[in-house]
Amino acid sequence: MRYLFVHQNFPGQFLHFVRHLLAQGHEIVFISEANNNHIPGVRRAIYRVPRLPSMETHPHLREFEYGLLRAEAVATAARTLKGLGYEPDIIVGHHGWGELLNLCDVFPGCPILGYFEFFYHADQNDVGFDPEFPPSAELAAAVRVKNSINLQALCLTNGYGQSPTKFQRETYPEWAREKISLLREGVNLDLCSPEPQAKRRNLVVNGVRITPKDALVTYVARDLEPYRGFHVVMRALPRILAERKDAQIILVGGDRVSYGTLPPGGGSWREFMLRELEGKLDLNRVHFVGKVEYDDFRALLRRSDTHLYLTYPFVASWSLREAMATGCPVIGSDTAPVREFITHDVTGRLVPFLDSDAIAEATLQLLDDRRSARRLGQEARRYAEAELCLNDYLDRYDELVERIMKTK
């Protein structure tokens, strides 16, 4: 079969599926913006957005305008491919940036399987969740318009959808869910696997040395920001450090903002929270290691005595899946996307997102009760083996494509 993939950041969510298809002998063409990533056997077609949205465009509409500009640029690249004789059997891509919107005009009748990540609501989920950051009077209107690409995508001719979790699928209107399949994503259980001996060796990550005598608490996010509970975790650290003199805290993540807004006055949330907690933290035991290589990330999870994962009611991070597969004792926020993975006191512990003291208490309990920590880690691994296996995910992907092709 001829697969046409589209994602502005090649290969996006599709790395494992693309490799899987190549191994089966399928033909892969991938339309994306330029980057240095490379997968042997994949033909790439590069598109360029001709301009940024106009500053004269209404602020709420600039994201939509950018999506339309991307849609036009991708369609131009697709017409070039078509002019060279290329006709895909199916198109697979992510709907978040508008790239797929015009492909039904270029390849009429070709099924489009789009990744539906999140449908925004002005009165639930992430909006208004954290009372520390109350929504502005204008936010509701902005959020409604933010779904413009989502709504256009849901109306595509020959359009089909997938979402990776039940929570994400159910953010979409009930009338839309029938065309969105639940396709739970998997992780490589061989790469992300427990290693009991890791706690008996020294570990060095980005210059930070952890010894077997240290109690290691880890936290991971793409960027250190409130959407992922960074501010709440930071406020839990003084008590953890005071009551466990052997505790070392490693926080992985960048200083930008992936979701939400910058802190008051600008700068990074890391800087903001360090100012708030000045004099309350032993900074010799709190380590900001930035973004790390994947092997270092896995080594941290394998060595971790307690892993903290918090998120607003929003998209769950890959790091949660990988931590569970690695057998980490996870303390997670009691929010809908996390509850889909963690059953309290079975595959992890759940704590109120906004309660720093509860996070500190749960962390100290697991550091003190190693038997419970081992049990939770083992059950997390069993859950991953049953629900998060990469090979099972790829088989389900094949089955979804097969069902779609039968309706063509």
Side-chain angles (χ1 to χ4, degrees):
M1 269 179 61
R2 296 180 300 276
Y3 283 78
L4 175 61
F5 283 85
V6 184
H7 193 294
Q8 49 97 15
N9 184 26
F10 168 79
Q13 282 91 345
F14 307 118
L15 171 64
H16 297 300
F17 191 45
V18 165
R19 286 175 172 169
H20 170 72
L21 293 173
L22 288 170
Q24 292 180 323
H26 296 287
E27 179 184 343
I28 308 295
V29 175
F30 207 119
I31 298 177
S32 75
E33 292 190 291
N35 63 23
N36 293 324
N37 297 330
H38 175 68
I39 300 177
V42 175
R43 293 166 53 200
R44 291 186 64 184
I46 304 301
Y47 80 85
R48 294 173 178 83
V49 183
R51 64 174 178 84
L52 295 175
S54 170
M55 293 306 293
E56 296 180 358
T57 300
H58 191 288
H60 297 172
L61 280 173
R62 287 174 191 160
E63 183 176 326
F64 187 42
E65 182 182 5
Y66 204 17
L68 297 181
L69 289 167
R70 287 185 182 277
E72 290 174 353
V74 168
T76 297
R79 288 191 183 94
T80 299
L81 291 171
K82 188 172 186 176
L84 295 172
Y86 177 75
E87 289 280 348
D89 295 306
I90 188 169
I91 299 167
V92 182
H94 193 303
H95 276 306
W97 298 277
E99 296 166 306
L100 303 176
L101 293 181
N102 294 352
L103 290 180
C104 58
D105 304 322
V106 183
F107 301 113
C110 181
I112 298 173
L113 174 56
Y115 192 102
F116 286 98
E117 191 161 28
F118 194 76
F119 194 92
Y120 295 88
H121 294 264
D123 58 351
Q124 59 182 281
N125 297 331
D126 54 327
V127 176
F129 170 75
D130 191 339
E132 189 170 342
F133 309 104
S136 66
E138 300 81 19
L139 184 61
V143 168
R144 287 193 294 271
V145 176
K146 194 173 179 67
N147 282 317
S148 298
I149 292 174
N150 259 322
L151 292 168
Q152 290 293 316
L154 287 167
C155 296
L156 282 180
T157 305
N158 297 320
Y160 302 83
Q162 59 158 303
S163 284
T165 68
K166 181 180 178 182
F167 168 75
Q168 287 169 258
R169 180 176 179 268
E170 290 185 352
T171 63
Y172 283 83
E174 189 171 353
W175 59 263
R177 294 175 201 162
E178 65 180 18
K179 68 185 302 179
I180 303 175
S181 297
L182 177 60
L183 186 60
R184 297 187 184 279
E185 294 172 335
V187 298
N188 188 318
L189 297 178
D190 294 325
L191 281 178
C192 297
S193 60
E195 187 182 349
Q197 300 303 314
K199 299 184 188 300
R200 300 182 181 181
R201 299 191 298 266
N202 290 331
L203 173 66
V204 178
V205 174
N206 286 6
V208 178
R209 185 171 182 264
I210 303 298
T211 74
K213 294 181 180 180
D214 295 320
L216 177 60
V217 179
T218 55
Y219 167 89
V220 174
R222 182 192 306 173
D223 287 299
L224 306 177
E225 57 189 331
Y227 254 73
R228 299 309 192 192
F230 172 67
H231 57 318
V232 188
V233 167
M234 287 292 291
R235 291 167 186 154
L237 297 187
R239 181 181 168 194
I240 296 170
L241 293 166
E243 296 188 26
R244 286 296 298 248
K245 300 300 182 183
D246 60 342
Q248 298 283 341
I249 317 294
I250 290 186
L251 302 104
V252 176
D255 278 337
R256 302 178 67 181
V257 171
S258 296
Y259 313 106
T261 59
L262 291 169
S268 70
W269 284 105
R270 176 179 58 84
E271 295 166 331
F272 183 88
M273 292 309 303
L274 285 174
R275 286 194 298 270
E276 177 184 313
L277 297 169
E278 187 174 1
K280 298 179 180 180
L281 297 172
D282 179 356
L283 293 178
N284 291 317
R285 294 190 286 142
V286 179
H287 311 284
F288 299 94
V289 296
K291 296 186 178 181
V292 301
E293 296 295 328
Y294 192 62
D295 286 347
D296 287 337
F297 165 71
R298 293 188 299 118
L300 276 172
L301 293 180
R302 284 171 166 160
R303 174 60 183 83
S304 181
D305 293 300
T306 303
H307 180 71
L308 304 178
Y309 179 77
L310 280 74
T311 184
Y312 282 13
F314 193 60
V315 177
S317 309
W318 269 88
S319 64
L320 174 59
R321 298 170 173 89
E322 291 161 323
M324 296 183 75
T326 306
C328 266
V330 178
I331 294 173
S333 58
D334 191 8
T335 50
V338 181
R339 288 194 298 269
E340 193 164 337
F341 294 88
I342 293 180
T343 301
H344 180 63
D345 210 30
V346 178
T347 53
R349 295 268 170 88
L350 295 174
V351 293
F353 179 99
L354 299 169
D355 194 338
S356 293
D357 194 59
I359 295 167
E361 178 67 24
T363 302
L364 291 166
Q365 286 178 358
L366 280 190
L367 292 180
D368 291 340
D369 186 355
R370 300 315 300 155
R371 178 178 294 181
S372 291
R374 283 192 296 273
R375 173 180 60 82
L376 293 175
Q378 289 165 357
E379 289 301 320
R381 173 66 185 187
R382 290 192 185 100
Y383 171 85
E385 290 172 344
E387 301 291 339
L388 303 177
C389 175
L390 178 62
N391 291 332
D392 292 344
Y393 161 62
L394 295 173
D395 288 343
R396 292 193 296 269
Y397 221 138
D398 283 338
E399 292 169 2
L400 176 58
V401 170
E402 184 177 349
R403 291 200 304 272
I404 290 171
M405 297 307 295
K406 285 180 179 178
T407 66
K408 183 176 177 180

